[in-house]
Amino acid sequence: MDLTGRIIAITQPRSGVSQRTGNSWMSQDFVIEIPGQYPRHMVFTVFGEDRLKQFNIQMNQDYTVSFDIDAHEYQGRWFNDIRAFNVVPAVPGAAAVPGAAPMPDAAPVAGAAPFPPQQSASEAAAAPFPPAQEPAGDGSADDLPF
């Protein structure tokens, strides 16, 4: 999955040594804000010192983040794990990666179905909702069996 937004928070890097393999590891969390009428926030993790250096993620910069979502169980509770595998600077006014969520001012994605047109207030008032129904021919006002 891909999202485009602005980095609004960066946590301190975490590191350690794997008990299983003995190799050292490093990870860092970032918070991205996805713009819109109601902005959304998502925290994601970049795992690996090499990726942290490669992506070079900076505060208040726009990025397109490609990530995987997984969950794991710990002591009877489930936790989401959102790991970024690619982070690239966003191109202003367009999605940087094909299939990425476009910024609100970006052109629509080719092949995407547009929302149906909205009715104006006068059109909505002219069309009653629910549609008017004729009463049943037997003189009964409803057709319920009881």
Side-chain angles (χ1 to χ4, degrees), residues 107-113:
V109 177

Side-chain angles (χ1 to χ4, degrees), residues 1 20 26-27 52 61 77 92 96 100 135 140:
M1 297 181 76
R20 189 173 38 176
M26 180 181 275
S27 71
L52 287 167
Q61 298 296 315
R77 293 186 63 194
S140 172

Side-chain angles (χ1 to χ4, degrees), residues 83-97:
R83 284 201 182 172
F85 60 86
N86 194 20
V87 180
V88 294
V91 176
V97 175

Side-chain angles (χ1 to χ4, degrees), residues 15-39:
S15 61
V17 176
S18 171
Q19 292 179 349
R20 189 173 38 176
T21 65
N23 297 333
S24 62
W25 57 269
M26 180 181 275
S27 71
Q28 191 170 10
D29 293 336
F30 300 88
V31 179
I32 188 169
E33 180 179 70
I34 296 86
Q37 182 179 3
Y38 303 105

